[in-house]
Each structure stands twice: as C-alpha cells, then as structure tokens.
Amino acid sequence: MIKSLSFIFLLISSQILFAQDNRIIPVPLKNVKTHQGFWHSRLATARTVTIPHVLNETEKSGRIDNFAVAGGLKKGVFQGARFDDSDVFKIFEGAAYSLQNHYDVKLDHYLDSLITLFAAAQEPDGYLYTLRTINKDTTGSYDWIAGPYRYSFENGSHELYNVGHLYEAAVAHYEATGKKTLLNVAIKNADHLVKTFGPNPGQLVVVPGHEETEIALVKLYRTTGKKEYLDLAKFFVDMRGRSDKRPLFLDGHKLGPSYFQDQVPFVRQTEAVGHAVRAQYLYTAVADLLTIQDDPKNSAAVHKIWDDATEHKQYITGGVGAREDGEAFDAPYILPNDNAYAETCAAIANMLWNHKMFLYTGEAKYMDVFERVLYNGFLGGMSVKGNEFFYVNPMASNGVNDFGRGSGATRHEWFGTACCPTNVARFLPAMPGYIYATKNNELFVNLFADNEAKMLINNTSVTVNQQTNYPWEGNVKITVSPEKPLNFPISVRIPGWANGEAIPGNLYTYQDKQSKPVEIKVNGKIIPATVGKGYLTLTRTWKKGDVVLISLDMPVRKVISNTKVVTNKGKVAIERGPVLYCAEGHDNNGKALSIPVSSAQTFSPNYQPDLLGGVNVLKSTEGNVTLIPYYAWANRGANEMTIWFNLK
C-alpha cells in the first residue's frame, strides 16, 4: 500500500511540477527500477562503494565539520576552500537518489543528521556559507577569499554556486523521503536570495560567478510552485553582460568576463566560451527555462552555442573543455589528445545540457550526444570499482605523466578540489531518471537498460519493462502493459550510430557510413520502421503484455575527424555501438601509442565477464591488437593508452 501511494504521489506531483501537458516530462527516478545488467551493477557500485567512499572523504577533509563549527555545535576553524560546501550538498544529493533506487534506513538516518548540521549553520535570515560564518573576514588567502561582505566577490566566492547544490539536494531528498526538513532550509535560503538580488532599489545586480544556482532555482520552483524562484533564475540569465563585474585572479592570471559567460547579454552569445562547466550549467538553465516559457531570442542563442560546442569543440568521448588554462573551451577544432583537459564535471554538464535540450525540442540528436558522453566521457571519469576518479580525461597517455588531478596516468581516490568525485556520485544514481519521458499521451524511450518503469498516460497506469544486454548487444525487448487497453504512441530513439552517424554534425564521421535497417517486431510481426527526428514512433492500442523487439546492428566502426582537427590527421578511432574503444599497453606488450590500424583491418567482439567488471574486448588478428572500452582504461595501473591510431 505504501509503495502504491508513493507511486501515485510521484506521478501526480511530477505532472503538477511541469504544469502544462504539452511539455516533455521525465519519468521520475523513483518510478524506474533497474533489474540486472550494465546499469544495475553500476547503481549497486554507487550505493555500496562510491557514495560511502565520497561521504567518508568529505568527513575526513573537514567539509562536514565546517557546518558543525558554523552552527556552533563544535569548536574549530574553517577547513578547506570556499567551494567545499557544495561537495557536501552534492554527495547528499547522490545519496538521496540512491535512496530512491534502493532504500537504506541507515543512510536515511545519516542524511537526517547532516540536515541538522546544515540547519544549524544557516544564519537567521537564510544565508548559508560556512566560510564567512566561521571566519567573518574572508579577504585572505586564495582558498578563503570571498570578499569583505556578502556577495561582494561573487565571481570567486561560490556563495551562490554552493547553495544551488543545496537546492538540488533538498529536492532530491524530498522526492526520496517526503520529508521537508532540508527543503525548508533550501526555501529559507532561496527566499533570502529573492530579497537580496533583483532590479529593485537596494537589491544587488550580480550574477553567479559559477553558474548552477539558475538550474537549482528552476528545480526548486517546480517543487514549491513559488514563481519568484523562476523569476530570479531568469534574472540571473538576463543580467549576463550587464551585471557588476569584478575580475578574478587565478594563479596570477586575470580572468575576463568571458570566463564567466558574462561578456555580453546571453541573447548575443553565439559560441561556447570560458570555463566549460560554468558555461554548460548556464546553457542547461536556459534550456530548462525554455521548457517553461519559450523565448525566441534565448532559444536562438542556445541553439547557436550548442551547434558550436557539438560541431567544433567536443572530443569523441563527448568530453569538452580542451584547455587546462581556465578549464575552458578552446577555439574551434583545437582538440589535443595527450594534454586534453576534458574535466569529468564538464562531461556531466554536457549530459545535463543535452537532456534539457531534448526536453525543450523533442529531438533525438541531443540524447545521441547524451549517450556518447554517458558511456565514454562520464564513465571514464570513475574507476570500475567506483572508488577512484579522474579529474581530467586525456585521449592518450604515455603512462608516466600525472599532473596531480589524475590526468596523465593514474586515478585518484580524492582531490583537494573534489568537484569531480562528488559530481560523479550525484549523477550516477540518478541515471535511470533519464531513460524515459512523456508528452501528452506519448512515451519516449531514450536509453536502453534492463529495467521496469511505471508512468501515467492518459490518466492510465502503464508499466514498461525493458530486457537487454546493451551496450554489448543491440537487441532490446520492450514489454508494454497498460492497466487497460490504451491507444498511444511509443517513440523509441534510434541511436545515430545505428544509422551511420557518429555524432550530429561533421566533427566525427564513420569511414563506412553504411548501416543495416533497424528491425522492429511487435508481437512477433515485422513492421515498417519509419524514423523521424531520430525516433521510431509506434502508435497502436496497446494491451497488457504487448512486446516490441528492436534489433540494432552493431558493427565495429572506424571513426575519422574533420580535417580541421589537425591533431587527428591521418588517424582513426574505433567504436562499436555507443562504446568508444582504446588500446592500453597492458594488453599490447606494454605499447599503445605506436599501434597502427589499416583501413581494411577488422576487429571481432568477445565478451569477457571477469575483465574490468565485464566488457566486450575487440581483437584483431592483424598485428595481434586488443582494444578495451575507453571508460575502462587506467584500472590496472599506469600504462600507455590511446584512442586515435595512425592509419597505415
């Protein structure tokens, strides 16, 4: 009975939060349960390894103690850096998602104890920022600098960024437990922001130095219905290029307004520039706002920026932000391999942005990019065991260099700047919430994973069950069981790779673009497959137990870059389905960087369940070459690795 009531509550609340029936609405995380296979095992790893590990590191580093000290619950000093509050909120958010996947009473009670600390650290008017509460004077070292008074140095203080992650954690916790304890803390702070920022006399015209608050305010609006949060999110977007600007000096370098996407008003921005995570959080917020209220100028801008990022500045992994200097987007086609930056957080931001673009447009190309990042740029940021991470993600490594952030050769259990481990820990358990969406009476199937989901379509309960060994095999069985016979369309995303397209645009293309037609059967009968906007739409009166079988051909593909990407001239990459492959020295007599590949060379997949958590290995008899999924490299010690192979 409790589970039934919880299901009804989530279905109804999700419809209220998104308000209008003609919008695309994600099927809530709590209504999607994985069974077995690729993602089920990774959610289990998140629950049993990643989340406990990251929680332990936040405790050891003093991040959690900061809240107790700020709240007067214990004596001490501020430990860490000005953005460390956000790490605690992010791992809390991930833990709340994990509760939605698999309830754990011990974890539930632990989160309650953290909420007590957060509430104690909050100042009477709602302000929450442990560094200033503890230190008062925050004009000292770089780690502590936050300006002499509240929001006086927002470009560097992360005051708004931190509480953005508070809001997301609060919503996740409310959805997981129904408790408002953390939600009330978030609302109190958001009400403080509404009073503090705005166009009225006495209010501050300042935008977040590190975007995130905008995303979170929209999420908080959807949960509470308080329109002032939506208005403030829009204000922060609209004031780009118009707000009070204070330069930030980082390691002696002056960072200009473009680093913060504050160089001109957003409607005049046309390319992806500056810090890649900040930028994509802004673009995510804009796309999310567009799902609520369309705005032709903002729409045109975010589409132009997406075209630039996807067609000119994205690695084949889906990673972005090529420059270490400023953790930033570089000029078009500047995509170095061995010293690529491609921060893990930027990969996550890329997925968030593309998902919002799908929700806004209904076009599958955005979920194509999402999927590429998911299986490559994102998963590559964490070890297969779930307790080590990369901060940056190179496309090649000599197995020796390591620049302290996990870049050259080895993964790390933690970083002083720990945004990536905490971001991985919050995104991974949320993954099932990206599989499905609905619009009016239409169901979208965006990702393939073994799961069972429940949703309301035309006020009728519908259960959808997926069985698949994706991404290793291309067969997907979808069983549809409405509560009663029901006519509605199901739109299944046919991945671009299945139609001979590596990625939207021409930054990367397959050498052989030929592809076999997608085979579709409904209740055992082959039906014509017509794809529009990347979706195969099946409209019929569905009855309990109806079965859709989808067969996607998965040839091993060779990928070439646009000729303007000079670093990849004369090189090819190898992928199969959504998974990008690499050579690692461990499998190739200690060498990877010098391995050549011929145009005619073939590779055969071979599933090895005991290797690297279970992977399809690609083997070629020519040259005795062995390839593993890119995401699985650097799990067996430091050694050479490359994605791009010299074409012989």
Side-chain angles (χ1 to χ4, degrees), residues 511 558 572 597-603 620-622 647-648:
Q511 272 193 331
K558 294 186 179 74
V572 294
V597 170
S598 70
S599 294
Q601 191 165 346
T602 59
F603 291 85
S620 175
T621 55
E622 183 179 335
L647 191 60
K648 65 179 180 180

Side-chain angles (χ1 to χ4, degrees), residues 196-219:
T196 304
F197 298 92
N200 300 318
Q203 290 185 303
L204 298 177
V205 181
V206 173
V207 297
H210 193 311
E211 296 93 329
E212 150 65 18
T213 323
E214 303 90 335
I215 299 171
L217 282 165
V218 176
K219 186 173 286 190

Side-chain angles (χ1 to χ4, degrees), residues 414-426:
W414 194 244
F415 307 98
T417 300
C419 52
C420 293
T422 52
N423 224 352
V424 168
R426 80 171 178 128

Side-chain angles (χ1 to χ4, degrees), residues 11 87 90 95 119 198 208 227 231 265 292 303 350 362 364 425 429 460 513 583 637 639 645:
L11 291 176
D87 292 328
K90 279 187 284 183
K227 188 174 179 295
D231 294 339
I292 297 170
H303 276 95
N350 198 12
T460 301
K513 298 180 182 180
N639 59 159
F645 302 92

Side-chain angles (χ1 to χ4, degrees), residues 314-317 372 376 497 500-503 505-513 555-562 568-581 597-599 601 603 627 643-647:
Q314 184 165 258
Y315 281 104
I316 192 171
T317 60
R372 176 168 290 275
N376 303 293
W497 60 259
E501 181 183 68
I503 194 171
N506 64 359
L507 186 57
Y508 304 106
T509 55
Y510 292 134
Q511 272 193 331
D512 181 2
K513 298 180 182 180
V556 177
R557 301 272 198 181
K558 294 186 179 74
V559 188
I560 56 175
S561 295
N562 187 298
N568 294 337
K569 187 175 181 180
K571 296 178 183 290
V572 294
I574 309 294
E575 58 186 45
R576 180 176 182 269
V579 179
L580 176 69
Y581 281 77
V597 170
S598 70
S599 294
Q601 191 165 346
F603 291 85
L627 307 182
I643 286 172
W644 292 100
F645 302 92
N646 291 320
L647 191 60

